[in-house]
């Protein structure tokens, strides 16, 4: 009978591989950012509901655009950050757990913003198109994007060593990102019920002006502040939970080793 | 439902989703921080 070996823990480097500082931003900056975000959202509500004039064709229903479009752009931004962080993780010279945790945090926010985009689009589509949903190219590719990154978040929850999880999730994130330009260009590639791009159209000639353009950009600024604030908070949570998980795993391994039968003295045979 | 109803639903849904997410992250952060040992530098 041989002595019990410690359980194989793969390529674990434990708590030491985690960033010591669980914050992306200094605490004071985060507090100021939080209040600035609330102020920007309040201003957006004022301009979106009262400041901007109703649309000549769609009437007041078009006001939903001031939430729907920024939510969609922020989803693109969040998934871009996830992809860049994933690339930095895969690149051996820049490999760090920080990039993996940042990618995961940003992907979760991207899913929130994509879900919001779909919900707001549906609420806008009903009064304007007369339907809640259509299997239109833009809507369908956006739904695919939502489910691709839900899959990515599920992949992150599959138990594995930090390195294994980070590597396979980084590859999955880069594959999922292929859908982002498809979503954006879908209105140019196919005939769709969804209107063509108003700002980032092929001619790069924005078809929105005055107070309406101002309100749209205000929405983009407000949602960007929301994103940066939440990314900082979500990253902090990711570091803390990773730390906790590593400690629990270390404790479980130590317990298994302690419980294993000790090796028999030399010369004693069963 | 009138246009006003859809607009109110859109604004309320956005506020509810973002607020729910902020609360969820805050609660999990608090729980994680409390579960870590006192000497943990990340606490």
């Amino acid at each position: 009978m041989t002595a019990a070996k410690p359980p194989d823990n793969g390529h674990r480097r434990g708590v030491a591989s985690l960033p010591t500082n669980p914050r992306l931003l200094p605490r004071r900056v985060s507090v100021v950012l939080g209040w600035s975000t609330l102020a920007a959202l309040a201003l957006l509500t004022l301009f979106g509901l009262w400041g901007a004039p109703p649309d000549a064709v769609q009437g007041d229903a078009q006001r939903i655009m001031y939430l729907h479009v920024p939510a969609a752009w922020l989803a693109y931004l969040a998934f871009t950050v996830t992809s860049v962080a994933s690339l930095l993780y895969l690149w051996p010279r820049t490999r760090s757990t920080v990039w993996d945790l940042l990618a995961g945090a940003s992907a979760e926010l991207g899913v929130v913003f994509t879900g919001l985009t779909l919900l707001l689009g549906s609420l806008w589509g009903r009064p304007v198109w007369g339907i809640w949903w259509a299997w239109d190219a833009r809507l369908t590719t956006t739904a695919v994007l939502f489910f691709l990154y839900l899959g990515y978040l599920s992949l992150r929850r599959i138990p594995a060593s930090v390195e294994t999880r980070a590597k396979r999730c980084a590859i999955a994130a880069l594959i999922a990102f292929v859908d982002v330009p498809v979503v954006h260009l879908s209105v140019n590639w196919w005939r769709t019920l969804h209107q063509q791009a108003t700002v980032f159209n092929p001619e790069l000639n924005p078809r929105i002006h005055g107070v309406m353009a101002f309100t749209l950009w205000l929405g983009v600024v407000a949602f960007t502040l929301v994103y940066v604030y939440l990314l900082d908070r979500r990253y902090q949570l990711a570091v803390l939970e990773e730390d906790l998980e590593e400690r629990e795993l270390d404790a479980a391994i130590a317990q298994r080793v302690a419980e294993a039968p000790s090796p028999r003295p030399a010369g004693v045979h069963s | 439902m009138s246009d006003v109803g859809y607009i109110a639903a859109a604004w309320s849904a956005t506020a509810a989703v973002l607020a729910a997410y902020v609360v969820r992250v805050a609660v999990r952060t608090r729980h994680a921080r409390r579960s870590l040992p006192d000497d943990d530098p990340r606490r």
Side-chain angles (χ1 to χ4, degrees), chain A residues 80-234:
Chain A
T80 304
V81 169
T82 296
S83 300
V84 172
S86 299
L87 270 177
L88 288 169
Y89 184 83
L90 289 175
W91 188 254
R93 286 187 182 182
T94 50
R95 182 163 298 165
S96 159
T97 313
V98 171
W99 299 125
D100 171 54
L101 297 178
L102 185 67
S106 191
E108 190 174 286
L109 285 167
V111 168
V112 171
F113 281 116
T114 310
L116 211 47
T117 304
L118 289 168
L119 179 66
L120 294 167
S122 191
L123 284 167
W124 189 8
R126 185 69 182 85
V128 174
W129 298 338
I131 46 171
W132 295 101
W133 178 264
W135 292 104
D136 159 281
R138 170 59 72 85
L139 276 64
T140 307
T141 50
T142 307
V144 168
L145 187 70
F146 179 72
F147 287 110
L148 276 172
Y149 278 93
L150 264 188
Y152 168 86
L153 293 179
S154 305
L155 193 63
R156 293 193 68 86
R157 296 172 72 96
I158 294 176
S161 69
V162 173
E163 284 78 9
T164 307
R165 184 204 62 197
K167 205 173 279 183
R168 69 184 175 203
C169 288
I171 294 167
L174 293 175
I175 294 170
F177 188 71
V178 171
D179 194 35
V180 171
V182 176
V183 171
H184 183 69
L185 296 169
S186 59
V187 288
N188 302 329
W189 289 350
W190 295 288
R191 285 168 64 89
T192 59
L193 182 60
H194 193 282
Q195 69 187 63
Q196 296 225 321
T198 304
V199 178
F200 296 111
N201 49 40
E203 303 83 38
L204 287 177
N205 179 26
R207 289 189 280 267
I208 185 168
H209 306 282
V211 183
M212 289 171 122
F214 171 78
T215 310
L216 179 61
W217 285 112
L218 183 62
V220 173
V221 170
F223 273 50
T224 305
L225 291 174
V226 170
Y227 168 74
V228 177
Y229 175 74
L230 287 178
L231 184 66
D232 177 51
R233 302 306 303 263
R234 186 59 188 84

Side-chain angles (χ1 to χ4, degrees), chain A residues 15 18-20 22 45 49 60-61 63 67 108-109 120 123 126 230 234 236-237 239-241 243-244 247, chain B residues 1 3 6-7 9-11 13-14 17-18 21-22 24-26 28-29 32-33 35-37 40-43:
Chain A
V15 179
L18 294 172
T20 317
T45 303
L49 297 182
D60 281 321
R63 294 181 189 280
L67 299 175
E108 190 174 286
L109 285 167
L120 294 167
L123 284 167
R126 185 69 182 85
L230 287 178
R234 186 59 188 84
Q236 185 186 4
L237 173 60
V239 174
L240 293 174
E241 286 188 339
D243 185 346
L244 197 58
R247 283 179 186 280
Chain B
M1 191 155 65
D3 280 3
Y6 288 107
I7 295 165
W11 245 267
T14 305
V17 168
L18 294 179
Y21 188 74
V22 168
R24 182 172 170 269
V25 170
R28 282 173 60 187
T29 303
R33 193 174 279 144
S35 305
L36 285 171
D40 191 305
R42 298 174 194 91
R43 202 179 138 113

Side-chain angles (χ1 to χ4, degrees), chain A residues 1-4 260-270:
Chain A
M1 192 173 171
T2 55
S262 55
R264 290 168 188 273
V268 177
H269 300 285
S270 56

